[in-house]
């Protein structure tokens, strides 16, 4: 059935007209052999509706006129007698009017159906466009998020590299300089051991330098723990907990895997900062 519909829909106007004429002839033939006792005029609407649907209302009006003429001729050759000779013409005119009214009704239905289909197609197209735009926006947001994440990772990497460089310079250069100054103070103190005032002043100064050296090491460790680069995340966490216990006198417990986990440098730094 669907194949027949597709064939008729895709056929030329000539083929549609031929089909319509064949339907009119078929209905007229049946109408002739059913005699006047059985009214068959309503079945002329089949070819009329077919033509209106596929060829438009003007072609439908033409086929309405053709159907009315066929019916009139069949009525004329029958033996039915009317009280007036005008009655067959009046009946034919009434049927023609009925056919034309049906033509305009079907044409209006077809127009409404076409408009509805066009509206549905237009709305569907708009929805597809909106979906594509939404999908594109999601892809752009996803891309931007990845770019921001990558940028943040690079910033953190640069920051950690900078912290490591500063920590190394503080620990190596400033720490060594303070250690050297402390050694010199001790040497001077030994050379002047008979001068108790000077020895005491040097001892006080050495204590200040020792405290400063501890502060320098703490700053260096806060910027970038050397254990994190040298031994990895687990020893760095253990060292952090020991320092915490020493500073607060709060006992802690630590449970770590038996082997070192394979973690990226950036992730190790993030975990340690947390």
């Amino acid at each position: 059935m669907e194949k027949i519909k597709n064939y008729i829909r895709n056929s030329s106007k000539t083929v549609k007209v031929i089909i319509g004429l064949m339907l009119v002839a078929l209905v007229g033939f049946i109408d002739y052999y059913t005699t006047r006792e059985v009214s068959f005029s309503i079945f002329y609407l089949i070819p009329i509706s077919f033509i209106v649907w596929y060829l438009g209302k003007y072609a439908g009006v033409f086929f309405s006129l053709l159907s009315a003429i066929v019916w009139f001729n069949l009525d004329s050759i029958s033996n039915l007698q009317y009280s007036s000779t005008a009655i067959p013409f009046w009946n034919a005119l009434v049927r023609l009017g009925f056919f034309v009214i049906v033509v305009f009704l079907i044409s209006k239905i077809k127009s409404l159906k076409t408009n509805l289909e066009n509206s549905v197609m237009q709305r569907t197209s708009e929805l597809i466009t909106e979906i594509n735009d939404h999908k594109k926006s999601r892809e752009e947001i996803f891309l931007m998020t990845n770019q921001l994440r990558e940028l943040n990772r690079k910033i953190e990497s640069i920051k950690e590299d900078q912290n490591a460089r500063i920590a190394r310079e503080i620990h190596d250069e400033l720490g060594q300089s303070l250690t050297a100054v402390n050694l010199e103070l001790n040497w001077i103190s030994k050379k002047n051991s008979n001068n108790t005032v000077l020895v005491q002043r040097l001892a006080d100064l050495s204590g200040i330098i020792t405290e400063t050296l501890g502060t320098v090491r703490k700053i260096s460790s806060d910027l970038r723990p050397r254990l994190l680069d040298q031994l990895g995340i687990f020893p760095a966490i253990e060292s952090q907990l020991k320092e915490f216990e020493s500073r607060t006198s709060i006992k802690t417990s630590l449970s770590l895997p038996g082997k070192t986990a394979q973690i990226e440098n950036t992730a190790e730094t993030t975990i340690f900062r947390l």
Side-chain angles (χ1 to χ4, degrees):
M1 191 66 178
E2 190 66 28
K3 292 182 179 179
I4 297 176
K5 289 182 179 179
N6 291 332
Y7 171 76
I8 295 174
R9 190 181 298 112
N10 298 325
S11 62
S12 63
K13 290 183 178 181
T14 304
V15 173
K16 293 184 177 74
V17 170
I18 292 173
I19 294 174
L21 292 173
M22 292 174 62
L23 289 173
V24 171
L26 177 63
V27 174
F29 178 79
I30 298 173
D31 190 18
Y32 175 77
Y33 278 97
T34 54
T35 70
R36 301 302 302 167
E37 295 180 356
V38 180
S39 177
F40 214 75
S41 59
I42 193 172
F43 290 98
Y44 287 98
L45 292 177
I46 296 175
I48 292 173
S49 301
F50 172 82
I51 292 298
V52 173
W53 193 262
Y54 288 106
L55 296 179
K57 62 182 178 181
Y58 295 110
V61 171
F62 173 78
F63 266 75
S64 297
L65 180 61
L66 178 63
S67 298
I69 292 173
V70 171
W71 179 88
F72 177 78
N73 289 328
L74 292 175
D75 187 64
S76 298
I77 63 176
S78 66
N79 296 323
L80 185 64
Q81 299 295 322
Y82 293 99
S83 60
S84 173
T85 56
I87 292 178
F89 293 97
W90 171 256
N91 290 340
L93 184 63
V94 170
R95 282 174 172 78
L96 176 61
F98 173 70
F99 292 158
V100 171
I101 290 173
V102 173
V103 165
F104 280 92
L105 288 175
I106 295 176
S107 177
K108 187 64 176 178
I109 293 172
K110 177 66 180 301
S111 177
L112 292 174
K113 180 177 180 295
T114 302
N115 292 335
L116 179 60
E117 289 176 348
N118 291 336
S119 298
V120 171
M121 290 177 62
Q122 181 180 357
R123 183 54 184 161
T124 302
S125 177
E126 292 175 354
L127 287 174
I128 292 174
T129 302
E130 291 177 4
I131 291 172
N132 291 334
D133 292 341
H134 181 65
K135 184 178 179 181
K136 184 178 179 181
S137 299
R138 287 181 60 187
E139 291 175 351
E140 291 177 352
I141 292 174
F142 181 75
L143 179 61
M144 291 178 63
T145 302
N146 288 338
Q147 291 175 345
L148 289 174
R149 187 182 293 111
E150 183 65 19
L151 179 61
N152 184 65
R153 189 189 66 79
K154 289 181 179 179
I155 291 174
E156 288 296 326
S157 178
I158 293 172
K159 177 183 175 183
E160 290 298 330
D161 290 343
Q162 189 72 7
N163 287 345
R165 184 182 64 81
I166 296 173
R168 186 168 55 253
E169 292 179 355
I170 290 176
H171 184 274
D172 294 344
E173 297 181 12
L174 185 57
Q176 289 179 6
S177 298
L178 289 174
T179 301
V181 170
N182 204 15
L183 291 175
E184 288 295 324
L185 290 176
N186 291 332
W187 183 82
I188 295 172
S189 178
K190 290 179 180 179
K191 289 294 183 180
N192 298 276
S193 58
N194 56 346
N195 189 341
T196 56
V197 176
L198 180 60
V199 170
Q200 183 60 40
R201 296 293 297 273
L202 291 174
D204 294 340
L205 186 57
S206 178
I208 294 173
I209 291 175
T210 302
E211 291 179 0
T212 304
L213 187 59
T215 303
V216 167
R217 288 173 178 169
K218 185 177 184 307
I219 293 173
S220 175
S221 178
D222 291 340
L223 286 172
R224 181 70 181 183
R226 297 175 68 87
L227 283 176
L228 190 60
D229 294 326
Q230 295 173 353
L231 299 179
I233 182 66
F234 292 165
I237 292 175
E238 290 183 88
S239 175
Q240 189 75 9
L241 281 180
K242 289 179 181 179
E243 182 182 347
F244 174 79
E245 288 183 352
S246 175
R247 186 174 66 253
T248 62
S249 299
I250 297 176
K251 295 296 182 180
T252 63
S253 61
L254 178 64
S255 177
L256 294 173
K259 59 181 180 179
T260 304
Q262 298 297 325
I263 306 174
E264 295 182 356
N265 292 335
T266 306
E268 281 190 344
T269 303
T270 304
I271 294 171
F272 180 79
R273 293 302 181 193
L274 293 173

